[in-house]
Each structure stands twice: as structure tokens, then as C-alpha cells.
């Protein structure tokens, strides 16, 4: 199973970006997908996750500003980021977990996409 992120870039404070992450491969079911981020010198932290029942969890620092959603038919998860702050600058990683067609579980990470918030 592979995850490919897109949508990162440079944005001014207060601006918006939408990240996408598409899962591909021998996927039987997706139990959840989510986003984490890691700034230089910092630990990787939770941004948002969405479960197969559409329940969501958000990191405290992004609640009310970021929204996670998914399109099941496309095996794709989105992260809409509004009111971006300079401290949102980080590499954003997509994570997905579930079952492959051979009944094995998977827990996979994408390669990351850079988000830079700066004037």
C-alpha cells in the first residue's frame, strides 16, 4: 500500500491550503487515514485523523481551523487548512491503516509534503 501526498506549498499567514493523500495498492479496507506534522527539531504530532465510521480526532492546536474529510471511492483523504499560522509550518505526513486483500494489516506513511506559512 502506498500513500502519495500533494498540495503543500508556501502561503501567507491567514491563508488556506488543502492537502490531499491518495492510497493505492492491494487495499481491502481502510480503517482510518490521517495527517501528522513535524517541524524542525520537534517531534511528529497529530494533526487530524478520520476513522472508517467518519469519526474524527484533531490536535488541539488545529481545532476549529483544519478539517479532515475523505472520499471513499477514491481512497483519498483531504486536509483543509484555514487561518494558517507561522507555527503551522512543518512537513505534513499522511498515515493510513487497514487490511490488504491477503488479510494482512497495513500501517503506511507517505513521504511528506512541506507546508510553509510565511509573509
Amino acid at each position: 500500500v502506498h500513500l502519495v501526498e500533494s498540495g503543500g506549498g508556501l502561503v501567507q499567514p491567514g491563508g488556506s491550503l488543502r492537502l490531499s493523500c491518495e492510497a493505492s495498492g492491494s487495499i481491502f479496507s481502510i480503517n482510518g487515514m490521517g495527517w501528522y506534522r513535524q517541524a524542525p527539531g520537534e517531534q511528529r504530532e497529530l494533526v487530524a485523523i478520520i476513522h472508517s465510521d467518519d469519526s474524527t480526532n484533531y490536535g488541539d492546536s488545529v481545532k476549529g481551523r483544519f478539517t479532515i474529510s475523505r472520499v471513499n471511492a477514491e481512497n483519498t483523504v483531504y486536509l483543509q487548512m484555514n487561518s494558517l499560522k507561522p507555527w503551522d509550518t512543518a512537513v505534513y505526513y499522511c498515515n493510513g491503516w487497514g487490511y490488504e486483500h491477503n488479510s494482512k494489516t497495513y500501517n503506511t506513511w507517505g513521504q511528506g509534503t512541506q507546508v510553509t506559512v510565511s509573509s
Side-chain angles (χ1 to χ4, degrees):
V1 176
H2 302 280
L3 302 179
V4 178
E5 303 112 330
S6 62
L10 173 65
V11 64
Q12 292 187 341
S16 299
L17 279 177
R18 189 175 81 153
L19 305 183
S20 302
C21 174
E22 181 179 4
S24 62
S26 182
I27 300 171
F28 176 74
S29 65
I30 296 176
N31 290 354
M33 294 182 74
W35 294 92
Y36 291 75
R37 68 186 182 186
Q38 188 167 19
E42 302 290 332
Q43 290 188 335
R44 190 171 296 190
E45 66 172 356
L46 169 71
V47 177
I49 55 177
I50 185 165
H51 302 273
S52 57
D53 63 358
D54 285 333
S55 61
T56 57
N57 300 92
Y58 291 92
D60 288 341
S61 62
V62 306
K63 286 179 181 177
R65 299 187 298 123
F66 292 9
T67 303
I68 190 169
S69 61
R70 63 184 188 141
V71 177
N72 292 338
E74 298 175 355
N75 290 340
T76 299
V77 65
Y78 300 95
L79 184 70
Q80 179 66 42
M81 305 185 293
N82 298 328
S83 301
L84 283 160
K85 316 290 185 184
W87 51 86
D88 292 318
T89 296
V91 178
Y92 284 69
Y93 295 92
C94 182
N95 175 235
W97 63 98
Y99 288 91
E100 298 183 43
H101 283 290
N102 60 10
S103 300
K104 290 184 178 180
T105 60
Y106 70 88
N107 189 322
T108 302
W109 293 87
Q111 293 195 340
T113 185
Q114 177 71 46
V115 172
T116 302
V117 185
S118 175
S119 56

